[in-house]
Amino acid sequence: MNIDYQQALPRLEQMFRSAEELYLQQSIPDINPSLIPIADDLFKSPTKSYREALLGCSLAKLLNPAINIRHPYINHGDDAFNGRTMDVNPFLRLWHIPASKGPYLATFRRSVKFVPETAQGLRNKKGYQAFLSYLEALEKATSEEIKNLLLYLLYRFVQLREEHNIQLMRVN
């Protein structure tokens, strides 16, 4: 299934602005509280690609709920999507959010499936497990819950940006 990232971008930008507003109001998006420690693990992970891939998968799921977000390569079947076209890293860098230099799927080998067996070839298994747990929540979610899960991810990206934004004092 094909998703046009250029058509998805305005929706992502609008949701990002909503996440920024929520952050400024110190209001956390409405998600299942059990997912907060999972997101904590994901955002503490040294492997940025996990959270970046999750953002791409979340956006794909929001735009087309029939997509199998565990199959980010079109050769995986009729319900797969082209994950390479959903690279969110340029978007993250545009908004000054720490992100990987390369494409968001760069950590994973070609034709990867987001399944537990993939962890065997990865160094950061805890971060990958958090990634899989959030994916599972997306798979079980209603369309409104998918939107909230995506909004919460964007909220955490805003939080990440603010934590890494170091204000300099002006010299008198």
Side-chain angles (χ1 to χ4, degrees):
M1 297 182 178
N2 202 9
I3 295 178
D4 185 351
Y5 179 71
Q6 292 308 314
Q7 288 181 339
L9 192 56
R11 181 94 185 255
L12 183 61
E13 289 171 342
Q14 179 268 324
M15 289 190 72
F16 185 78
R17 284 193 276 287
S18 295
E20 283 182 315
E21 287 176 29
L22 288 170
Y23 181 81
L24 289 173
Q25 297 167 3
Q26 298 180 352
S27 177
I28 297 172
D30 183 31
I31 65 163
N32 183 331
S34 68
L35 293 172
I36 293 174
I38 291 168
D40 290 343
D41 286 346
L42 195 62
F43 279 83
K44 288 176 187 170
S45 169
T47 310
K48 296 175 188 172
S49 294
Y50 297 158
R51 56 184 171 258
E52 296 161 0
L54 186 58
L55 181 58
C57 290
S58 299
L59 182 60
K61 190 70 170 175
L62 179 70
L63 298 172
N64 187 343
I67 283 176
N68 184 339
I69 53 179
R70 292 183 185 262
H71 297 162
Y73 287 90
I74 54 174
N75 64 341
H76 290 148
D78 293 338
D79 63 350
F81 70 105
N82 188 351
R84 294 278 179 203
T85 63
M86 293 300 293
D87 187 2
V88 295
N89 286 0
F91 171 82
L92 294 173
R93 287 191 292 274
L94 177 70
W95 290 93
H96 306 287
I97 297 168
S100 303
K101 299 286 186 240
Y104 80 114
L105 289 175
T107 296
F108 303 102
R109 68 184 187 284
R110 282 200 167 289
S111 295
V112 68
K113 291 181 181 178
F114 298 137
V115 294
E117 295 77 24
T118 301
Q120 295 171 358
L122 301 173
R123 287 188 199 140
N124 181 357
K125 293 178 183 7
K126 184 177 182 180
Y128 183 70
Q129 182 54 52
F131 169 74
L132 289 179
S133 296
Y134 211 95
L135 273 184
E136 184 178 339
L138 282 165
E139 289 171 323
K140 294 177 180 177
T142 64
S143 59
E144 187 63 29
E145 290 168 336
I146 292 169
K147 183 179 173 187
N148 287 340
L149 288 167
L150 175 56
L151 186 62
Y152 183 71
L153 275 180
L154 292 168
Y155 175 90
R156 293 300 299 261
F157 277 110
V158 170
Q159 189 176 38
L160 181 69
R161 177 187 68 191
E162 296 306 313
E163 289 169 358
H164 285 84
N165 185 16
I166 301 169
Q167 296 294 323
L168 300 176
M169 286 183 39
R170 290 184 173 217
V171 178
N172 290 333

